[in-house]
Amino acid sequence: MKELLYSAANHFKQGKLSAEQGDVKGALQAYSDAIKDLHAVKPQRMRDVLLAQVHLSRYQVALKTEPHSALEDLRFGYSYARTTREPQVRELAESLWAEHLQGSKREIPSLSS
């Protein structure tokens, strides 16, 4: 189990590095690999914290290129962040969720227009 957590953490780091370098495809693949590893681990706090971080990171990278799957990542990341009670991850999730809601409000035309 620990090996899978370490592998997932390494994939997560690789995804962040790829995203910073502008390699969207590489980042998305690394994040997907991390998620696959994490789903093979029994539920536990560290697993769920990593799942939240990976999903939220993948959401941020995929937002412009794959908006539908990105929204799914936001939902999963938000859900995991809320259950872990990890303050930093939860703050990030709340912030991204609020940004998403603000963006959704701008896209919906007003009925009074």
Side-chain angles (χ1 to χ4, degrees):
M1 294 288 180
K2 282 187 178 181
E3 296 83 23
L4 287 171
L5 284 174
Y6 289 134
S7 176
N10 285 331
H11 288 303
F12 176 56
K13 288 178 188 175
Q14 182 59 47
K16 288 182 74 101
L17 181 61
S18 295
E20 288 170 4
Q21 294 173 347
D23 179 9
V24 172
K25 186 176 179 181
L28 294 175
Q29 183 60 53
Y31 291 144
S32 294
D33 291 342
I35 289 170
K36 188 183 342 177
D37 285 348
L38 290 167
H39 280 291
V41 176
K42 289 189 316 187
Q44 56 182 281
R45 186 174 183 277
M46 182 52 69
R47 168 198 176 252
D48 292 348
V49 168
L50 267 171
L51 272 168
Q53 291 175 317
V54 172
H55 277 291
L56 293 172
S57 294
R58 192 166 74 168
Y59 162 75
Q60 291 173 300
V61 170
L63 192 56
K64 292 182 182 171
T65 60
E66 301 174 15
H68 181 67
S69 63
L71 184 55
E72 186 174 290
D73 279 314
L74 176 59
R75 288 180 179 137
F76 279 123
Y78 183 82
S79 178
Y80 280 113
R82 288 182 51 91
T83 61
T84 66
R85 297 188 178 145
E86 181 69 30
Q88 291 177 324
V89 176
R90 192 166 182 169
E91 276 182 39
L92 174 61
E94 294 287 345
S95 172
L96 292 172
W97 190 258
E99 284 176 21
H100 165 70
L101 291 178
Q102 287 298 325
S104 295
K105 287 179 183 177
R106 284 186 292 242
E107 293 172 11
I108 300 172
S110 172
L111 293 175
S112 61
S113 310

